[in-house]
Amino acid sequence: DTEVTQTPKHLVMGMTNKKSLKCEQHMGHRAMYWYKQKAKKPPELMFVYSYEKLSINESVPSRFSPECPNSSLLNLHLHALQPEDSALYLCASSQDRSGLAGGDTQYFGPGTRLTVL
Amino acid sequence: LAKTTQPISMDSYEGQEVNITCSHNNIATNDYITWYQQFPSQGPRFIIQGYKTKVTNEVASLFIPADRKSSTLSLPRVSLSDTAVYYCLVGDTGGFKTIFGAGTRLFVKA
């Protein structure tokens, strides 16, 4: 199974709502990532978890709150978002080859299309 | 992290070979070169990865010269379904900080 799944596929929320995006992988990967992608732009890294610990936070506003309950699951909690946060949110996972030779390949999910009204 | 530069867009016809070159002048010793393909409203998909010389898999080849300051993704006999954005990434083996460049929009015409 080389699949990363994301739910929901589409999400529309108001600026006062609280919602969560979910990501799951069963490849035994120990690194998981959240990216944000605006239309016709490349994905931008937001957060990285390694072995369930937050490894990288790319100065993301606190209205985005990541959570890694276990090695297979990654959540992104959303609160008080702005219309400019509307984007495709991508989750990815990788084996985490820290200290090992060889590149670490990321596997991406299909994304959640988020619209903030 | 090494910055990458790719052509913004390329056009091709079905059945042709397409070569997309990526420049990465500041590549570090530990850096690998990875290419991803992305269709609209989908997540990027891994195509190929290499460190030096030539790598080939069932979908593409990757050519890396000795100085490693550039790399070329070669797609043999493209079809309409190869129309997508192709990203070249450069990163080290233990780092997670992934920076996507602008990518190359490939449009394959009939």
Side-chain angles (χ1 to χ4, degrees):
Chain A
D1 181 5
T2 58
E3 190 179 23
V4 175
T5 59
Q6 290 188 243
T7 54
K9 290 191 176 184
H10 301 274
L11 179 63
V12 179
M13 61 186 290
M15 289 188 284
T16 59
N17 292 155
K18 285 185 182 180
K19 297 286 184 182
S20 297
L21 309 184
K22 296 185 184 302
C23 174
E24 190 167 3
Q25 58 88 12
H26 294 288
M27 294 178 276
H29 290 172
R30 303 315 298 263
M32 296 187 77
Y33 310 70
W34 279 115
Y35 290 84
K36 173 183 176 180
Q37 186 174 28
K38 302 283 275 186
K40 299 195 183 300
K41 296 291 186 182
E44 296 177 25
L45 185 65
M46 299 174 71
F47 303 104
V48 181
Y49 275 82
S50 173
Y51 288 85
E52 301 160 45
K53 289 197 167 92
L54 185 63
S55 178
I56 293 177
N57 176 343
E58 289 288 85
S59 302
V60 179
S62 59
R63 58 185 184 269
F64 295 91
S65 175
E67 178 196 19
C68 189
N70 60 56
S71 60
S72 300
L73 292 173
L74 185 66
N75 298 322
L76 186 62
H77 302 299
L78 314 172
H79 174 54
L81 293 194
Q82 304 296 312
E84 59 264 29
D85 296 322
S86 298
L88 181 68
Y89 287 84
L90 295 163
C91 173
S93 70
S94 69
Q95 192 176 356
D96 184 352
R97 300 185 61 83
S98 303
L100 302 176
D104 202 16
T105 302
Q106 293 182 34
Y107 293 83
F108 285 81
T112 293
R113 174 72 61 192
L114 174 67
T115 303
V116 182
L117 300 177
Chain B
L1 290 171
K3 181 182 173 183
T4 60
T5 304
Q6 305 172 232
I8 294 175
S9 65
M10 295 180 69
D11 287 347
S12 182
Y13 288 93
E14 281 191 293
Q16 289 188 332
E17 178 184 73
V18 171
N19 295 309
I20 306 173
T21 297
C22 178
S23 296
H24 29 79
N25 291 320
N26 296 324
I27 190 168
T29 304
N30 289 339
D31 285 345
Y32 275 68
I33 300 154
T34 309
W35 286 80
Y36 288 87
Q37 174 193 57
Q38 187 178 26
F39 299 111
S41 296
Q42 292 186 28
R45 183 177 73 100
F46 170 83
I47 301 175
I48 197 165
Q49 184 180 77
Y51 183 80
K52 61 182 178 181
T53 62
K54 177 184 175 182
V55 180
T56 298
N57 62 23
E58 62 276 7
V59 298
S61 294
L62 180 60
F63 299 92
I64 305 168
D67 66 4
R68 303 199 329 121
K69 293 183 184 299
S70 67
S71 58
T72 299
L73 174 71
S74 181
L75 304 172
R77 296 180 298 282
V78 294
S79 64
L80 296 176
S81 62
D82 291 316
T83 294
V85 178
Y86 292 82
Y87 293 102
C88 161
L89 279 74
V90 174
D92 67 38
T93 59
F96 303 116
K97 197 173 176 75
T98 310
I99 298 179
F100 282 77
T104 298
R105 294 184 177 276
L106 172 65
F107 186 67
V108 180
K109 296 178 278 191

